[in-house]
Amino acid sequence: MNEVAFLGTAAPSIPQDHCVSIPNVSLPVIAIQAELEKWTVMPDERLQLLAKVKGQRIKIPDLMPVYAGWGEHVNPHWKRLVEIVDAKLDTLLSDQQKLAKLKKADFALFGSMSWPYADFHQLKIVTFLAIWLFLWDDEIDEATGSLNNSFEAAQVFRQETISFIEHTLDIGAQGIAPSPRNPIINSFRPVSEALCEAYDIEQRKMFFNETRFYIEMSEREQKTRLSGKVPTLQEYWETRRGSGAVGMCVALMEFATKTRLPTFVKSDPAFIELWDDMNIIICASNDMLSLKKEIALESIESFIPLACANNKCHPQLAVDTATEMLRTAVSGFDAAAKTLSSKCSDDAVLQRDLETFIEGCRQQCMGNHTWSLCSSRYGVNRLIQEDGSIEFLL
């Protein structure tokens, strides 16, 4: 079995259908023994780790140059989508304070930045999926979520979700289709209906497998959190590659871009590298830009605090490492895209679809990053300096 060195840990190889390479980067060694002792954390002392991270000052550099040449775009249907998104949220939440906060975050802009070239129908559906992901995850992951501290209730929620999606995607589920009372679960229905019209059964199965993987990693993440354990970086990345929901978005990309890629392209090592790097790009960016919000909610399920605990380092060194991870993944993505495109150069139609698909992936990475900078959800929009950097106390 091949192993990948990552921040002083050894990560086992990952199956091809969920392959996410873990970047080969190292944190600088801090020589001062007092600093080593400061960041030593016992496995069940999550609150101790939070206490050590809180109050530390960090600076996230301007990351936009990392994406040089990728471009920033907003779908022209953005404003038209806002009213639809707000109406959708009204049907899903009764808590007026939470509802107002979610509307202020502007998920219509998230969808429009992430899928800037999608037609209005496609844009609406992929934005509905994004809303579903944010709300579904918040129910379990957010400190204010109704299932945050109840693993048993969250398990029922996960099982009902999997059953409902499997039935509505019409991929051969047995038994009677469930009728979930939870409006968040039920809000997945328009996504399933759209995919049943646009995708064949193999495409729908691929999307379902990625959705189930996301839900399974949510279970692992919650179980670790409730155990009081501080996970290793290896354990974190094994979970994060699913809990980030990047695989679901890649599996939806053919729908969003109105393309169809043959199986031999999707199984090509260069395509796997694209998927791999896209996962790292989105997760590394999110872990940095959402850090202030996560620490405020006393969550350590992020690369920065876990790197501090596992590598006995200051948060700034972890941020510097995440920045390098992001830079390496963007370069790897571009190299893989070039390789894959050259392999399809003999087929003009396929190459056009492939380039459209790849550009869609780039824009999703860019949209995730730029929306995180300007949205109120993570609270960094007020902290951006003139040089593009972001500096704050945790």
Side-chain angles (χ1 to χ4, degrees):
M1 179 183 295
N2 295 326
E3 294 187 338
V4 182
F6 178 62
L7 302 178
T9 68
S13 60
I14 297 170
Q16 283 290 316
D17 60 342
H18 286 299
C19 180
V20 176
S21 299
I22 299 177
N24 185 13
V25 290
S26 299
L27 288 172
V29 176
I30 298 177
I32 302 175
Q33 184 61 32
E35 187 74 8
L36 289 173
E37 292 174 357
K38 177 181 177 182
W39 294 103
T40 299
V41 181
M42 297 302 290
D44 60 346
E45 293 183 333
R46 297 166 65 90
L47 292 179
Q48 182 183 344
L49 173 57
L50 275 167
K52 291 177 178 179
V53 170
K54 283 185 174 181
Q56 299 297 319
R57 181 172 294 279
I58 65 162
K59 183 177 182 177
I60 302 171
D62 180 8
L63 297 173
M64 293 305 292
V66 175
Y67 301 94
W70 282 28
E72 302 172 61
H73 304 280
V74 178
N75 196 294
H77 298 297
W78 165 34
K79 293 296 185 180
R80 179 184 173 191
L81 188 63
V82 171
E83 185 176 345
I84 294 173
V85 165
D86 286 352
K88 181 77 169 178
L89 291 171
D90 285 335
T91 67
L92 298 176
L93 295 167
S94 57
D95 184 325
Q96 294 302 307
Q97 185 175 0
K98 184 179 292 187
L99 182 62
K101 183 183 289 187
L102 289 172
K103 286 182 178 180
K104 186 178 179 182
D106 199 346
F107 293 124
L109 181 60
F110 175 85
S112 298
M113 285 181 160
S114 299
W115 294 280
Y117 305 127
D119 291 343
F120 183 72
H121 173 67
Q122 278 72 24
L123 176 63
K124 183 177 71 171
I125 295 300
V126 293
T127 303
F128 281 177
L129 175 67
I131 293 170
W132 182 88
L133 283 167
F134 279 114
L135 268 60
W136 193 96
D137 185 71
D138 283 356
E139 283 295 286
I140 299 172
D141 191 50
E142 286 273 351
T144 57
S146 64
L147 306 172
N148 180 263
N149 289 313
S150 176
F151 183 77
E152 292 78 12
Q155 280 294 82
V156 173
F157 183 65
R158 281 185 278 260
Q159 291 162 4
E160 289 182 351
T161 301
I162 290 174
S163 178
F164 179 73
I165 294 175
E166 185 177 19
H167 276 87
T168 55
L169 282 175
D170 192 20
I171 53 175
Q174 301 298 312
I176 300 173
S179 298
R181 295 181 180 179
N182 188 295
I184 295 176
I185 297 176
N186 203 44
S187 70
F188 201 93
R189 188 181 298 275
V191 178
S192 291
E193 289 174 349
L195 293 185
C196 283
E197 290 182 8
Y199 272 9
D200 63 28
I201 191 167
E202 293 306 316
Q203 289 172 301
R204 298 198 305 275
K205 282 182 177 179
M206 179 181 179
F207 177 78
F208 173 72
N209 288 339
E210 291 301 328
T211 303
R212 181 170 56 190
F213 183 54
Y214 161 72
I215 293 171
E216 289 170 350
M217 291 305 99
S218 159
E219 175 185 344
R220 180 189 290 187
E221 186 176 73
Q222 186 185 27
K223 186 179 294 184
T224 299
R225 174 170 57 79
L226 293 178
S227 74
K229 176 186 175 184
V230 174
T232 66
L233 287 170
Q234 175 180 333
E235 291 169 337
Y236 169 70
W237 279 106
E238 287 175 350
T239 303
R240 189 72 166 108
R241 64 193 174 92
S243 66
V246 177
M248 290 178 66
C249 295
V250 176
L252 199 67
M253 191 59 68
E254 287 175 291
F255 171 80
T257 58
K258 292 185 176 181
T259 56
R260 177 64 193 271
L261 301 181
T263 302
F264 76 85
V265 170
K266 295 177 185 177
S267 61
D268 190 279
F271 188 88
I272 301 300
E273 178 70 16
L274 283 176
W275 193 313
D276 179 341
D277 289 325
M278 187 175 172
N279 210 321
I280 295 170
I281 290 165
I282 290 178
C283 291
S285 169
N286 180 260
D287 279 10
M288 285 188 277
L289 298 181
S290 68
L291 181 60
K292 184 175 178 62
K293 170 179 176 285
E294 295 299 325
I295 295 301
L297 293 173
E298 301 196 334
S299 172
I300 65 164
E301 272 68 39
S302 170
F303 173 78
I304 311 303
L306 294 180
C308 292
N310 283 274
N311 294 284
K312 302 179 178 64
C313 71
H314 189 278
Q316 185 60 53
L317 296 180
V319 168
D320 295 343
T321 301
T323 300
E324 187 57 33
M325 287 165 49
L326 178 63
R327 183 176 291 110
T328 300
V330 169
S331 296
F333 183 100
D334 283 339
K338 185 176 180 180
T339 297
L340 197 58
S341 182
S342 67
K343 290 182 179 181
C344 301
S345 59
D346 292 338
D347 187 330
V349 174
L350 174 57
Q351 188 172 41
R352 182 191 64 213
D353 278 358
L354 178 61
E355 290 178 354
T356 299
F357 182 97
I358 291 171
E359 179 62 15
C361 291
R362 282 197 180 100
Q363 290 305 310
Q364 184 156 25
C365 293
M366 281 298 302
N368 177 80
H369 184 79
T370 52
W371 177 81
S372 297
L373 287 173
C374 67
S375 171
S376 63
R377 183 170 174 86
Y378 301 128
V380 296
N381 54 327
R382 307 182 307 274
L383 305 173
I384 301 174
Q385 308 298 308
E386 289 185 5
D387 64 355
S389 66
I390 302 169
E391 189 170 353
F392 54 85
L393 290 175
L394 292 174

